[in-house]
């Protein structure tokens, strides 16, 4: 009976350690997900700013009377399709 109690105590200690390890893993995964979310949010903001700047550049080019040549127009159409 004493041996059984010792085995049970060892199993309990092992279970506690495993649970602790799992909690640490979950916490690490949560931190990683939060960091990834922040990075993705930053990328979205930068992409939005770049798009806005590109629109401004295009507007300025239009006001200046800039005309794209036929090769450039064809390249843009291909990029849009893909």
């Amino acid at each position: 009976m004493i041996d059984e109690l010792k085995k049970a105590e060892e199993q309990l200690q092992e279970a506690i350690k495993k649970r602790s390890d799992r909690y640490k893993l979950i916490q690490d995964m949560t931190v990683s997900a939060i960091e990834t979310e922040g990075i993705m949010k930053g990328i979205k903001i930068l992409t939005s700013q770049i798009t806005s700047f590109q629109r401004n550049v295009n507007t300025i080019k239009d006001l200046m009377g800039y005309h794209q040549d036929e090769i450039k127009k064809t390249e843009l159409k291909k990029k849009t399709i893909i």
Side-chain angles (χ1 to χ4, degrees), residues 30-47:
T30 302
V31 168
S32 178
I34 290 169
E35 289 174 356
T36 301
E37 180 185 8
I39 291 169
M40 292 305 292
K41 193 179 272 186
I43 289 172
K44 285 181 182 179
I45 290 169
L46 288 173
T47 302

Side-chain angles (χ1 to χ4, degrees), residues 23-67:
Y23 284 143
K24 286 178 187 176
L25 180 63
I26 290 169
Q27 185 178 17
D28 290 346
M29 288 170 44
T30 302
V31 168
S32 178
I34 290 169
E35 289 174 356
T36 301
E37 180 185 8
I39 291 169
M40 292 305 292
K41 193 179 272 186
I43 289 172
K44 285 181 182 179
I45 290 169
L46 288 173
T47 302
S48 175
Q49 289 175 342
I50 290 169
T51 302
S52 175
F53 293 148
Q54 187 61 51
R55 281 191 203 120
N56 290 341
V57 167
N58 291 342
T59 302
I60 291 169
K61 284 182 178 180
D62 288 342
L63 292 173
M64 291 174 43
Y66 173 79
H67 298 288

